[in-house]
Amino acid sequence: MTAVLNTPDSHGDDPLSKMIAPPPNETLLERDKRLRLEAEAKRISDAIDEQLRVEAQKKRKSPEVKLLLLGQSGSGKSTLQKQFQLMYAPATLDMERSSWRHVVYINLIKSIRTMLDTLEQEYDLEIDRESDLLLSPSMSPSFTSLSSPTSKATKTLLPYQWDDPSSAPSIPSSAKGKGKERETTPTQEEFDSGSMGRAAIAKLSTSPSVVAAASGSAHFSPAWAQQIATLRLRLTPLLSMEEVLARKIGMGVQVAPGKEEVFVRKGWQGIRTKKWSTASAVSSTSTSTPVPSTKNKSKIPVPEPEYLYSSRLSMGSGVSGLGFDTASTTSTEIQLEMDQRTELVRQVANLFMSLRGDVETLYAHPAVKSLVKKRKLRLEESSTFFLANLERIAVSDYMPTDDDILHARLRTMGVVEHCFEVPVNGGSKMYPWRLYDVGGARGQRPTWVPYFEDATAIIFLAPISAFDQYLEEDQRTNRVDDSLQLFTLICSNPLLKNCHLVLFLNKTDVLQKKLEAGVKVKKYITSYGDRPNDYEHVSNYFLAHFKQVHRKNNVDTKRELYTHLTSVVDTRSTRQIIVNVRDAIFRDHLKESSML
């Protein structure tokens, strides 16, 4: 007879005991089988627990470095990221090179628009974009018909009337005598006929009228009004391409009343080539090796992004920066989109080739020089760089150089991850680094917090050249003051207690130019007082303030602050700084991981 080991009532009323109790009327054979199964289940569970423990221990001792690039908008974070990419993943930058043409073109067109809009605003000019009718509140209400001898069209213009006739610019004596060399700005005939060549532009830039404009002593010439209107009309086809280009890589977003910028999310570089493959679109994350084929996609040493391309229409997965759903789009449709983009670049390149002389004339115009001298026209550093290199850029086969890519200005949206294999010990070992480039506008700063907890190090970038500028989001806040406030929050955040801090006081090259131009720091930073207005004293003054913030707010009194005066567009000096920062961060990280 088979023995019965228990009865339904043998465990009392305890519900847990009833749940784990053996089946009622269990036989010895059934008991042996149950115990064997339970032992096997426990063995598997213990093995899983051990595997998790080992993986957790490996993760704690992993040499992987997570580096955050933090700072306000326009501080140079994305430029520094591109320097890392140039050093540790140059092949990926080569893959993206053609897509940077869009950004360079946008930067140039934005510069042209800024110059024209500022000229019209500062000189109270109102131009009818369709009829090219130029108006000014200080002009006479009567119209005068003027005819250009070199143009078949007769333009109806309102002549500029000086409020005080004595304030009108005098005619130079060299222009009064017959046969003598005329010294004025270009005539309307030259503008209308487009006959301004490089020699004429060079002559214009060194003429006394431009020299006077550069010194801020020039009056607004009656001829300038019509010249500005003519340039606006001639450059209109180029200006109209700004929005078209922007929508191919991102989307305009208002950052201040009446001001728009182009922002992008990760993956926008997917427009880089006409050839399309899933492998080339797997990730915008930078790697040190070429992206493998589709067959080996599972071996890619970086995580797949949330979506193949950045989306300007939707935040949902599967919607690309191309403006359509990649999951339901055929390769033929994608190829057509890429062909359209290639044609767009060709059209813009042709416009720059045909209108290069007009752009150079505008940039060299005495009205522009005068406003720059009076600091009523402020062009971004990228603007002056590209305008100075217009002859090289305005060609049909233009391809951005490394310097062009470094100077190209593009606003980052959200947080973008880049992965690199970084060599140490002379290249004998390679360790993974994850670099996070963040959007620095005030509204985007809360998105940084999720990346704080396991960050290895932070490079905080503060543009000390911006001492005379104010935030776009808040015109009452000085940009250097905002950087100090933001650095205070970083130093005092308990989540970053174990995070190494590196401070880049950036854009020192721009700072030097401003100081040499006579811009006084004490006018904008009253606490600077009567200290010498030179680069050494100014840079040391700002450095002392940031060090003081770190000393007073550091959550770990033993945590060291590594400081550098930088210009991250300077590849040679930045490379050496990156090597020094890499060695310092990695050495300390390995010590904390008990690997040294």
Side-chain angles (χ1 to χ4, degrees), residues 261-393:
E261 291 281 357
V262 176
F263 72 83
V264 294
R265 297 186 181 90
K266 62 182 179 182
W268 70 271
Q269 299 96 327
I271 63 177
R272 60 179 172 257
T273 177
K274 290 177 63 177
K275 295 182 180 179
W276 187 272
S277 67
T278 304
S280 66
V282 167
S283 177
S284 64
T285 305
S286 302
T287 60
S288 61
T289 56
V291 179
S293 64
T294 308
K295 296 180 181 179
N296 299 325
K297 189 171 73 170
S298 60
K299 297 181 181 180
I300 296 175
V302 294
E304 286 199 22
E306 298 169 3
Y307 28 71
L308 295 181
Y309 289 102
S310 59
S311 171
R312 62 180 174 85
L313 299 177
S314 170
M315 291 297 292
S317 174
V319 180
S320 76
L322 299 173
F324 45 75
D325 190 340
T326 54
S328 61
T329 305
T330 65
S331 59
T332 302
E333 291 172 319
I334 296 175
Q335 183 68 49
L336 178 61
E337 171 69 17
M338 306 310 289
D339 289 341
Q340 291 174 350
R341 293 184 175 201
T342 302
E343 176 62 20
L344 173 62
V345 170
R346 187 190 66 79
Q347 292 176 5
V348 176
N350 288 338
L351 282 172
F352 269 111
M353 289 172 62
S354 61
L355 297 174
R356 193 190 92 194
D358 292 309
V359 177
E360 290 174 335
T361 301
L362 175 64
Y363 187 44
H365 199 282
V368 172
K369 300 289 186 183
S370 178
L371 291 182
V372 170
K373 179 63 178 180
K374 296 176 181 177
R375 300 179 59 75
K376 293 183 178 180
L377 171 60
R378 297 192 182 188
L379 296 172
E380 295 180 354
E381 303 91 75
S382 60
S383 299
T384 56
F385 175 82
F386 291 128
L387 287 168
N389 288 274
L390 186 61
E391 182 177 357
R392 175 176 58 82
I393 295 171

Side-chain angles (χ1 to χ4, degrees), residues 116 130 190 199 311 344 359 395 434 594:
L116 289 170
E130 297 182 359
E190 290 173 318
S311 171
L344 173 62
V359 177
V395 293
R434 295 185 185 272
S594 300

Side-chain angles (χ1 to χ4, degrees), residues 544-557:
H545 272 270
F546 278 94
K547 285 184 174 180
Q548 184 180 31
V549 165
H550 173 260
R551 185 171 59 254
K552 289 184 176 181
N553 299 277
N554 195 8
V555 289
D556 182 358
T557 56

Side-chain angles (χ1 to χ4, degrees), residues 123 169-170 172 174 182-186 200 203-221 223-224 227 364-370:
Y123 293 127
S170 59
S174 60
R182 172 178 54 86
E183 191 292 298
T184 62
T185 56
K203 179 181 176 182
L204 169 63
S205 63
T206 57
S207 69
S209 61
V210 175
V211 173
S215 66
S217 61
H219 295 286
F220 187 83
S221 167
W224 293 359
Q227 290 167 3
H365 199 282
V368 172
K369 300 289 186 183
S370 178

Side-chain angles (χ1 to χ4, degrees), residues 268-551:
W268 70 271
Q269 299 96 327
I271 63 177
R272 60 179 172 257
T273 177
K274 290 177 63 177
K275 295 182 180 179
W276 187 272
S277 67
T278 304
S280 66
V282 167
S283 177
S284 64
T285 305
S286 302
T287 60
S288 61
T289 56
V291 179
S293 64
T294 308
K295 296 180 181 179
N296 299 325
K297 189 171 73 170
S298 60
K299 297 181 181 180
I300 296 175
V302 294
E304 286 199 22
E306 298 169 3
Y307 28 71
L308 295 181
Y309 289 102
S310 59
S311 171
R312 62 180 174 85
L313 299 177
S314 170
M315 291 297 292
S317 174
V319 180
S320 76
L322 299 173
F324 45 75
D325 190 340
T326 54
S328 61
T329 305
T330 65
S331 59
T332 302
E333 291 172 319
I334 296 175
Q335 183 68 49
L336 178 61
E337 171 69 17
M338 306 310 289
D339 289 341
Q340 291 174 350
R341 293 184 175 201
T342 302
E343 176 62 20
L344 173 62
V345 170
R346 187 190 66 79
Q347 292 176 5
V348 176
N350 288 338
L351 282 172
F352 269 111
M353 289 172 62
S354 61
L355 297 174
R356 193 190 92 194
D358 292 309
V359 177
E360 290 174 335
T361 301
L362 175 64
Y363 187 44
H365 199 282
V368 172
K369 300 289 186 183
S370 178
L371 291 182
V372 170
K373 179 63 178 180
K374 296 176 181 177
R375 300 179 59 75
K376 293 183 178 180
L377 171 60
R378 297 192 182 188
L379 296 172
E380 295 180 354
E381 303 91 75
S382 60
S383 299
T384 56
F385 175 82
F386 291 128
L387 287 168
N389 288 274
L390 186 61
E391 182 177 357
R392 175 176 58 82
I393 295 171
V395 293
S396 59
D397 58 348
Y398 166 67
M399 188 61 65
T401 64
D402 289 348
D403 279 343
D404 292 343
I405 296 175
L406 290 173
H407 281 86
R409 177 78 174 97
L410 201 58
R411 190 177 292 268
T412 304
M413 196 69 175
V415 179
V416 184
E417 179 187 86
H418 302 266
C419 293
F420 305 100
E421 292 291 326
V422 177
V424 294
N425 297 330
S428 60
K429 291 185 178 180
M430 304 290 287
Y431 290 99
W433 280 45
R434 295 185 185 272
L435 186 150
Y436 298 91
D437 181 18
V438 304
R442 275 188 172 180
Q444 298 186 57
R445 294 173 188 176
T447 63
W448 304 355
V449 178
Y451 298 86
F452 282 178
E453 188 171 1
D454 59 348
T456 306
I458 286 175
I459 297 182
F460 186 90
L461 291 94
I464 55 176
S465 64
F467 67 86
D468 59 340
Q469 296 174 291
Y470 297 86
L471 288 182
E472 292 173 338
E473 309 95 312
D474 181 5
Q475 290 295 315
R476 298 169 299 177
T477 302
N478 184 282
R479 287 188 60 188
V480 171
D481 187 52
D482 177 70
S483 289
L484 284 165
Q485 295 177 30
L486 186 55
F487 191 57
T488 300
L489 296 176
I490 297 300
C491 292
S492 59
N493 194 311
L495 291 176
L496 301 173
K497 180 179 180 180
N498 299 319
C499 192
H500 306 289
L501 289 180
V502 182
L503 173 65
F504 279 18
L505 297 186
N506 195 31
K507 301 194 176 183
T508 55
D509 56 329
V510 181
L511 174 64
Q512 286 179 302
K513 291 178 181 178
K514 285 185 178 181
L515 297 176
E516 290 170 0
V519 183
K520 301 296 184 183
V521 175
K522 67 178 182 181
K523 179 180 178 181
Y524 304 93
I525 310 291
T526 55
S527 60
Y528 188 74
D530 294 326
R531 295 176 177 85
N533 200 68
D534 58 54
Y535 172 74
E536 182 179 358
H537 287 87
V538 171
S539 58
N540 287 335
Y541 175 79
F542 288 135
L543 178 59
H545 272 270
F546 278 94
K547 285 184 174 180
Q548 184 180 31
V549 165
H550 173 260
R551 185 171 59 254

